[in-house]
Amino acid sequence: MDYISTRGGSAVSAGAAILKGIAEDGGLYVPSFFPKLELEDLRNMISMDYAERAALIIGQFLTDYSEAELLDYARKAYARFDGEPAPVVGVDDTTYIMELFHGPTLAFKDIALTLLPHLMGAAHRKCGSDKKTLILVATSGDTGKAAIEGFKNVEGTEIVVIYPSEGVSDLQKLQMQTSDGNNVHVLGIRGNFDDAQTAVKRIFNSKEANEKFNKLGYSLSSANSINWGRLVPQIVYYVSAYVDMLGCDEIDEGEAINFVVPTGNFGDILAGYYAKRMGLPVNKLIVASNVNNVLTDFFTDGVYDTNRPFHKTVSPSMDILVSSNLERLLFELYDRDAEKVRELMDSLKEEGEYSVDIDRIYEVLPEFTAYSTDENGTCATIDNFFETNDYLLDTHTAVAVNAYNDYLTETGDNTKTVVLSTASPYKFAHDVYESVSGNDEPDAFKAVKKLHSYTMTDIPAQIKELEYLDPIHTGVVDVKDIEEAIFAFFNKDC
Ligand SMILES: *Cc1c(COP(=O)(O)O)cnc(C)c1O
């Protein structure tokens, strides 16, 4: 299968799309068509384990990889999880939680980022590239550590992670700063995620920067969800959740279900939309945002306007105003009209906003609906959910549960619904502890211990060991100095 750019550039193979990360015209790669899953395929998947399901689904998109090869990569990637990668837990008659945080860094990003290094290594061999790869990552908190865990000590690869120094949780920051690995570089910036993402995109699109890195022997690639290799593994868990529910007779064959997704860069929920386009029976895709609710407004009135204050919240991985992957949805909204997408993206770049006909959204994308939650709502949801269900939500998943409650109040819809749980509550121990107990514990590790005593939930080993690791990567620079600081990592090396 070929991959085409949302802005009209020429088609490339799956391997090339994964190596490049972003198209030369600045657009994002999308599959040239959506392969189909029949109900029979879903039924056949019931007896498969997660890695087998992954190989089957990903194989439909990455046709230059063999299914045996993909199965091998998936087995290696998912062996790094503590148990199942995407278990579905029933909460009440209609609500289910899909836990996506059992990987090495305790966030859903692990599901794609444990696999991506294998996909990229193979793409190198397939495309006959002689360059080393330099992975540039902008992170709102979770992608950084997940990418480091995926790519550290991978031969022929260097990884640079850029994060907002004051925009992540203490434990997220420590996870990144204490990372070992001989090819790992981490850089804090005095700015927010959008600044980090803009800088990374600018470097990707700069001929000069690319030539400079080429001279040093590197070609650039991305581990953000703008990379197709990040997105395609995320389609799998939507299908897998459905198959699990089918296998346990929670749903009938063909019965449509809802998914609620805590959303930032729009990668996760877009994978759900792609699963639907493949034929998965999906009723609603509920976009859940925190007070950075630019997507809620977009799905309500068709206006995407980033000219608004940026809020730091207790769900920092969703503190994003420019949701890059929405570009891929616009491409579908306009029947794959690259000209139209370019026009909208130019407007975003120049004016910080664009608008589309809201009736078109209702007509072409009827599965989407969106809600946002303020900080009090997020904390109250963690508290209520723990009281009612004895289940501890993290701050991001709480935004999703709150959105689902609003959706239920508004519609009374009794469709079975899966809420995607994207992180362990222990990554955000301070705010989760304060939500359930009413007490503020500023020390990150004391908060971890108090959360454990208060809720009697297990502290993940990755959090426990953090306390005894020393920060190695402590550099912080201004936004204008990002590019220079990245070059400095490599000039030092040679
Ligand atoms: C990244 C992240 C999100 C948002 O996912 P997108 O794909 O960016 O929409 C939500 N929750 C957590 C915990 C995350 O790390």
Side-chain angles (χ1 to χ4, degrees):
M1 178 190 297
D2 279 346
Y3 286 78
I4 54 177
S5 162
T6 49
R7 301 195 196 171
S10 52
V12 299
S13 69
I18 289 171
L19 276 189
K20 284 167 177 287
I22 189 166
E24 261 153 45
D25 57 11
L28 305 182
Y29 285 116
V30 290
S32 51
F33 65 94
F34 292 105
K36 289 290 172 228
L37 282 174
E38 307 297 335
L39 289 179
E40 192 189 335
D41 298 323
L42 295 173
R43 204 183 315 131
N44 290 339
M45 263 187 262
I46 292 174
S47 59
M48 295 183 187
D49 66 19
Y50 192 84
E52 288 169 324
R53 292 173 187 174
L56 191 132
I57 293 158
I58 297 171
Q60 313 234 339
F61 286 99
L62 306 189
T63 48
D64 37 350
Y65 295 67
S66 74
E67 214 175 297
E69 179 184 21
L70 289 171
L71 183 60
D72 176 41
Y73 302 154
R75 289 229 182 282
K76 285 179 180 143
Y78 300 127
R80 297 183 63 188
F81 281 63
D82 182 12
E84 286 296 312
V88 177
V89 179
V91 175
D92 59 35
D93 289 349
T94 52
T95 314
Y96 299 78
I97 293 199
M98 173 156 56
E99 297 181 344
L100 299 171
F101 54 79
H102 296 295
T105 76
L106 309 172
F108 86 95
K109 310 277 198 310
D110 286 326
I111 296 205
L113 282 164
T114 49
L115 192 60
L116 185 61
H118 297 287
L119 299 178
M120 233 178 231
H124 253 276
R125 294 191 291 276
K126 289 176 205 297
C127 299
S129 163
D130 58 353
K131 290 259 185 325
K132 289 187 275 185
T133 305
L134 173 54
I135 312 279
L136 272 187
V137 183
T139 181
S140 57
D142 288 325
T143 297
K145 181 61 177 177
I148 290 168
E149 282 306 307
F151 284 100
K152 76 177 182 192
N153 299 328
V154 170
E155 214 177 301
T157 307
E158 296 283 328
I159 172 163
V160 178
V161 169
I162 303 166
Y163 72 95
S165 177
E166 298 308 316
V168 300
S169 84
D170 290 345
L171 293 167
Q172 285 179 311
K173 188 188 282 192
L174 269 178
Q175 277 190 312
M176 291 186 276
Q177 290 185 333
T178 57
S179 298
D180 57 0
N182 55 26
N183 59 343
V184 173
H185 313 272
V186 181
L187 189 65
I189 62 162
R190 292 179 199 97
N192 60 36
F193 172 74
D194 290 323
D195 296 320
Q197 178 160 259
T198 303
V200 165
K201 278 194 180 172
R202 193 178 56 232
I203 295 170
F204 276 123
N205 291 328
S206 149
K207 227 176 126 192
E208 202 193 321
N210 275 283
E211 276 167 9
K212 262 208 262 184
F213 282 116
N214 276 336
K215 273 205 197 111
L216 292 168
Y218 294 104
S219 60
L220 296 176
S221 192
S222 165
N224 283 104
S225 52
I226 52 177
N227 192 322
W228 177 250
R230 246 300 288 284
L231 225 40
V232 68
Q234 297 182 190
I235 299 173
V236 177
Y237 48 74
Y238 287 91
V239 179
S240 180
Y242 190 92
V243 168
D244 279 345
M245 288 167 74
L246 196 59
C248 302
D249 293 324
E250 301 283 333
I251 49 173
D252 296 327
E253 204 162 271
E255 182 177 338
I257 62 175
N258 300 326
F259 289 97
V260 193
V261 188
T263 298
N265 221 6
F266 208 75
D268 202 2
I269 196 157
L270 183 73
Y273 171 74
Y274 287 159
K276 177 167 190 191
R277 291 293 299 266
M278 291 183 80
L280 190 73
V282 173
N283 177 44
K284 287 288 180 191
L285 291 166
I286 300 169
V287 183
S289 299
N290 63 28
V291 284
N292 294 297
N293 56 0
V294 63
L295 286 165
T296 322
D297 292 348
F298 175 71
F299 285 104
T300 308
D301 57 22
V303 180
Y304 194 89
D305 187 359
T306 64
N307 301 306
R308 62 174 75 203
F310 180 98
H311 298 286
K312 285 204 309 185
T313 73
V314 293
S315 46
S317 302
M318 295 152 66
D319 290 347
I320 294 176
L321 293 180
V322 182
S323 300
S324 292
N325 277 297
L326 196 60
E327 177 167 348
R328 286 183 162 115
L329 191 71
L330 294 171
F331 191 60
E332 305 303 328
L333 177 66
Y334 284 97
D335 296 328
R336 308 203 136 202
D337 177 352
E339 189 75 37
K340 183 70 196 176
V341 171
R342 229 177 306 141
E343 196 183 291
L344 296 173
M345 290 302 115
D346 285 346
S347 168
L348 182 66
K349 196 168 167 195
E350 275 142 37
E351 318 286 337
E353 66 166 315
Y354 58 80
S355 50
V356 305
D357 178 5
I358 186 66
D359 290 331
R360 193 178 179 101
I361 297 186
Y362 292 153
E363 194 185 305
V364 182
L365 304 170
E367 56 278 270
F368 280 95
T369 180
Y371 296 86
S372 67
T373 306
D374 65 16
E375 297 291 271
N376 286 336
T378 305
C379 297
T381 300
I382 294 173
D383 191 27
N384 291 340
F385 207 81
F386 185 66
E387 286 281 312
T388 313
N389 304 304
D390 197 25
Y391 187 101
L392 193 62
L393 301 168
D394 96 291
T395 46
H396 304 75
T397 310
V399 169
V401 168
N402 202 299
Y404 179 47
N405 290 339
D406 287 349
Y407 170 77
L408 283 181
T409 307
E410 205 170 292
T411 62
D413 179 13
N414 61 3
T415 303
K416 300 260 164 75
T417 299
V418 177
V419 178
L420 274 63
S421 176
T422 48
S424 157
Y426 279 93
K427 274 191 113 160
F428 307 94
H430 172 268
D431 295 306
V432 173
Y433 176 62
E434 187 166 355
S435 301
V436 288
S437 73
N439 301 323
D440 175 22
E441 173 47 71
D443 181 274
F445 292 105
K446 283 190 188 148
V448 165
K449 284 165 201 147
K450 287 185 176 175
L451 182 61
H452 165 70
S453 321
Y454 195 90
T455 60
M456 296 312 287
T457 50
D458 293 335
I459 307 174
Q462 297 95 315
I463 295 285
K464 276 189 198 156
E465 78 182 24
L466 260 189
E467 193 171 355
Y468 305 102
L469 298 177
D470 287 323
I472 317 169
H473 311 277
T474 49
V476 180
V477 299
D478 287 329
V479 171
K480 64 173 176 30
D481 299 326
I482 294 175
E483 200 169 318
E484 204 178 307
I486 295 173
F487 279 119
F489 286 134
F490 297 95
N491 284 333
K492 223 179 340 190
D493 290 348
C494 27

